Amino acid sequence: MAKKFWISVAIGAAVGGAVSLVDRNTRAEVRASSKEVWQTIQQPSEWGSAWKRKMTEVKSFADGVSSDVQFLSEKVQDIREITPQVMGIVEDTKTTFQQKRRGKTVSEPKIVNETDTFEL
């Protein structure tokens, strides 16, 4: 019973393949892919070389992505370190403008150290 089933499946696949070859484009695609398979079978070393080249390209791409991610990670860390300083400057500026709006005199900023950090 199982043998008859598999024979029927094989016959159905063969008939389906034959019917699909009625289309001219399908025949051309089958011919082209058959030639590629035949060339690969005849010259396996060439296929191996192509595979190695492709793997080298993938490795180079992965290394580039890895270095890009590392660069972005460093920049995010820099932003995290700078953000509190920027917030301090924004708060100082806000306070200065609020004091000017209220009519209070504001002292001029003075340089605290050589990194141009200002203190009011």
Side-chain angles (χ1 to χ4, degrees):
M1 185 74 160
K3 183 178 179 183
K4 187 175 183 181
F5 171 77
W6 289 113
I7 291 173
S8 298
V9 168
I11 291 171
V15 169
V19 169
S20 68
L21 290 176
V22 170
D23 182 44
R24 182 177 302 205
N25 293 332
T26 304
R27 284 194 309 267
E29 289 175 16
V30 168
R31 253 187 242 119
S33 63
S34 297
K35 286 180 184 178
E36 289 178 22
V37 169
W38 184 249
Q39 288 174 351
T40 302
I41 291 171
Q42 288 179 334
Q43 301 170 348
S45 62
E46 189 174 307
W47 180 81
S49 299
W51 177 257
K52 287 179 185 176
R53 278 194 307 273
K54 187 56 80 176
M55 291 305 295
T56 302
E57 290 174 14
V58 168
K59 185 178 182 304
S60 297
F61 178 76
D63 290 342
V65 168
S66 175
S67 67
D68 291 347
V69 167
Q70 183 178 3
F71 173 78
L72 289 174
S73 175
E74 290 171 0
K75 292 304 170 187
V76 167
Q77 185 62 32
D78 291 346
I79 290 171
R80 284 184 181 158
E81 293 171 359
I82 291 173
T83 300
Q85 296 171 358
V86 171
M87 290 303 296
I89 291 170
V90 169
E91 286 294 323
D92 291 344
T93 305
K94 176 183 168 186
T95 304
T96 302
F97 280 116
Q98 287 174 345
Q99 288 175 352
K100 281 188 176 185
R101 192 177 332 157
R102 292 182 190 140
K104 294 182 180 179
T105 58
V106 179
S107 60
E108 291 295 321
K110 55 186 170 194
I111 296 177
V112 174
N113 56 29
E114 281 117 31
T115 59
D116 291 320
T117 304
F118 296 103
E119 183 179 283
L120 290 176

